[in-house]
Amino acid sequence: MAQISAIRGMNDIHGQQAIAFDFVTETAQAVLQQYGFQSIRLPIVEKTELFCRSIGEVTDIVEKEMYTFNDRNNDSLTLRPEGTAGCVRAVIENGLAHNQIQKLFYMGPMFRYERPQKGRYRQFNQFGVEVFGLASVDADAELIALSARLWEKLGLENLELQINSLGSQESRAAYRDILVAYFEAHRAELDEDSLRRLTTNPLRILDTKNPDLKTLVANAPKLLEHLDAESIEHFEHLKNHLEDLGIDYVVNPNLVRGLDYYNRTVFEWVTTELGAQGTVCAGGRYDGLVEQIGGKPTPAVGFAMGIERLMALLIDQGVVPETSAQDIYMVLVGEQVQRPGMVLAESLRDAFPELRIQMNCGGGSFKSQFKKADKSGASFALVLGDDEVTQQTIVVKPLRTDQAQKVVAWDALVETLAQEFSEI
Ligand code: ATP
Ligand code: MG
């Protein structure tokens, strides 16, 4: 029968990739907890209208990337393309943003109908962080500080922080006219997408991926030069915080981000090591969004990391082992070994919750079991044969050093292993 394959752009994550995935998400969770953030878990499907209203009708995501379908009740639903919209919806619906500060994180799959390539998939995972109720720049700076700490914890190098300010709605509206005049004067050089955007959402032309427009965009008037006074001050304070914290940054005046809801601070962490898919983390302030979705006016700032892109970087930079090594492999050969072997394995798991203990299941010769023990990466094999069972002993055999093996009584095993592991 024909084999059934996965859907294009939707990948199974296994082996070394899975190790990298867990490493990223567990490390991120630990860092977020260190900063006093709380976990929130959100639905994968939302009403389509939520994304149209928040991300913006004239964005790549809403125009052509969403997985939208009618359910059996004929309601239009969408697989979430990003996490912020759902998080804002949840915060409003559960009354979490009213007169209080919320610092939240979440993770999970997102869906976008894009052309699959390295670092760009149709189902991918994001780790998202959102802060509600703080208009002050300390919140923006703390988010950047915690992301910098995460790269350090992951052992990632060569990430560049790019920042920009989008100003207020009003200063952006004034800039929009200036930008339109500039692009109108260069109409002939624009591509089809940009021509359309010129009337619908001209700022988005700055975010074009078309290399032919690079020079035109680089020479465009800069939003940074048309900001309102308060946004300029906010941006200056952000830079001061980053300098105090020793976090290097580059001001990228063309950083406008792919979603419409941002104002003031926007930032991205970028690497040159993943080709065109170089942004591993992106975010910014979105003070108007909560109100736009029907909540009370609530300032907010957040970011999202692409877990697959971080995984690829970690693997390329050699940070992730190919398999997760075991600490102990139990070799069991004989008629009488299964029952005491299982009991011993469980008692060791009680005594050493931090050790990875693999018990050989399914039998096999000494030779084949030792082969598996060696492949597992374990530091020690514990060997149980019928003679050992009769004498209530077990053999502790170092697999990675030339030290001699020891015969140890069952009731001295925990103590012996504690000693052995304290020496490696
Ligand atoms: P890009 O410019 O690469 O399309 P974006 O601006 O659309 O990114 P965001 O919506 O800001 O991306 O999402 C935050 C992060 O999620 C990105 O920086 C990236 O790391 C990751 N990401 C976005 N789209 C994908 C995708 N299709 N596959 C894998 N990761 C993705
Ligand atoms: Mg995109």
Side-chain angles (χ1 to χ4, degrees):
M1 232 194 293
Q3 211 175 304
I4 298 174
S5 59
I7 294 163
R8 193 164 121 81
M10 303 198 178
N11 302 310
D12 305 310
I13 295 173
H14 58 92
Q16 190 185 27
Q17 299 246 332
I19 296 172
F21 188 101
D22 291 346
F23 180 49
V24 170
T25 52
E26 283 164 19
T27 310
Q29 208 159 323
V31 169
L32 266 300
Q33 272 155 359
Q34 208 187 348
Y35 283 78
F37 282 63
Q38 313 266 335
S39 159
I40 185 165
R41 301 195 69 89
L42 302 159
I44 288 173
V45 185
E46 298 273 0
K47 291 183 181 158
T48 303
E49 187 195 351
L50 174 69
F51 302 114
C52 298
R53 251 212 264 168
S54 57
I55 297 169
E57 296 278 2
V58 195
T59 55
D60 282 351
I61 294 179
V62 173
E63 279 182 335
K64 51 189 186 198
E65 294 177 359
M66 294 207 302
Y67 279 88
T68 297
F69 59 95
N70 282 4
D71 73 358
R72 289 171 196 276
N73 196 33
N74 249 342
D75 291 323
S76 178
L77 307 182
T78 294
L79 299 184
R80 63 182 183 193
E82 56 98 57
T84 302
C87 189
V88 169
R89 198 257 323 125
V91 160
I92 298 170
E93 201 164 339
N94 295 289
L96 302 178
H98 191 49
N99 290 334
Q100 54 190 314
I101 291 164
Q102 289 291 342
K103 298 186 172 188
L104 303 171
F105 69 88
Y106 51 83
M107 72 185 106
M110 307 294 161
F111 303 83
R112 297 185 193 179
Y113 194 80
E114 301 197 70
R115 192 168 69 77
Q117 54 199 289
K118 188 177 179 189
R120 194 175 291 287
Y121 310 104
R122 291 183 173 172
Q123 174 171 336
F124 62 99
N125 289 276
Q126 280 186 344
F127 193 104
V129 181
E130 319 283 356
V131 176
F132 295 94
L134 289 170
S136 51
V137 71
D138 45 4
D140 314 31
E142 194 181 46
L143 283 187
I144 294 178
L146 74 81
S147 54
R149 183 179 298 273
L150 176 58
W151 314 142
E152 192 191 314
K153 287 261 155 90
L154 291 173
L156 278 180
E157 288 168 359
N158 305 327
L159 288 178
E160 180 180 87
L161 173 63
Q162 301 185 356
I163 59 172
N164 191 20
S165 177
L166 300 182
S168 63
Q169 297 286 357
E170 296 74 30
S171 63
R172 242 191 358 263
Y175 167 74
R176 188 189 143 112
D177 296 340
I178 298 167
L179 193 65
V180 169
Y182 170 80
F183 284 126
E184 283 289 0
H186 295 85
R187 244 192 126 76
E189 295 162 58
L190 294 177
D191 61 11
E192 198 186 321
D193 248 9
S194 304
L195 279 173
R196 201 164 40 85
R197 298 232 147 101
L198 197 52
T199 45
T200 53
N201 194 347
L203 256 75
R204 306 218 27 79
I205 301 175
L206 299 175
D207 196 42
T208 176
K209 300 248 161 47
N210 183 350
D212 297 343
L213 297 181
K214 232 190 166 116
T215 320
L216 188 65
V217 163
N219 294 329
K222 301 285 176 274
L223 174 53
L224 265 185
E225 288 155 17
H226 297 89
L227 293 185
D228 54 294
E230 278 179 20
S231 294
I232 292 175
E233 198 190 344
H234 191 96
F235 196 46
E236 288 308 311
H237 285 159
L238 175 67
K239 291 193 254 178
N240 292 340
H241 276 305
L242 296 178
E243 279 148 29
D244 292 344
L245 297 170
I247 299 174
D248 294 335
Y249 62 85
V250 181
V251 175
N252 175 358
N254 286 328
L255 188 66
V256 291
R257 308 282 303 108
L259 306 88
D260 273 356
Y261 48 60
Y262 291 106
N263 67 304
R264 293 204 170 150
T265 310
V266 287
F267 66 93
E268 291 194 356
W269 287 94
V270 183
T271 167
T272 50
E273 290 171 36
L274 294 174
Q277 275 58 250
T279 303
V280 296
C281 172
R285 188 161 270 290
Y286 51 94
D287 294 331
L289 184 60
V290 176
E291 195 179 5
Q292 201 176 309
I293 298 185
K296 296 209 171 62
T298 305
V301 54
F303 69 79
M305 306 183 286
I307 297 178
E308 281 79 1
R309 293 190 192 173
L310 290 168
M311 286 159 54
L313 265 189
L314 287 166
I315 291 172
D316 289 353
Q317 294 185 6
V319 181
V320 185
E322 277 180 36
T323 50
S324 55
Q326 307 295 313
D327 297 300
I328 290 173
Y329 194 98
M330 293 183 67
V331 171
L332 311 174
V333 184
E335 298 289 316
Q336 312 295 328
V337 295
Q338 299 306 336
R339 289 174 57 189
M342 180 87 78
V343 173
L344 280 169
E346 285 301 302
S347 68
L348 292 179
R349 292 178 182 125
D350 286 337
F352 302 107
E354 71 289 2
L355 292 187
R356 282 161 295 191
I357 300 170
Q358 174 96 250
M359 192 186 76
N360 188 86
C361 290
S365 66
F366 272 116
K367 194 172 168 210
S368 76
Q369 291 195 35
F370 269 113
K371 232 176 163 170
K372 289 183 197 154
D374 197 46
K375 208 169 158 221
S376 78
S379 307
F380 294 93
L382 301 185
V383 190
L384 199 63
D386 286 336
D387 288 351
E388 283 78 21
V389 171
T390 311
Q391 290 155 30
Q392 306 219 332
T393 60
I394 191 162
V395 176
V396 177
K397 183 177 163 57
L399 295 175
R400 312 289 148 194
T401 65
D402 339 319
Q403 277 169 341
Q405 62 183 43
K406 291 178 186 161
V407 179
V408 179
W410 288 351
D411 55 16
L413 183 58
V414 167
E415 199 186 328
T416 305
L417 288 175
Q419 181 65 31
E420 295 288 350
F421 276 97
S422 74
E423 286 167 14
I424 55 174

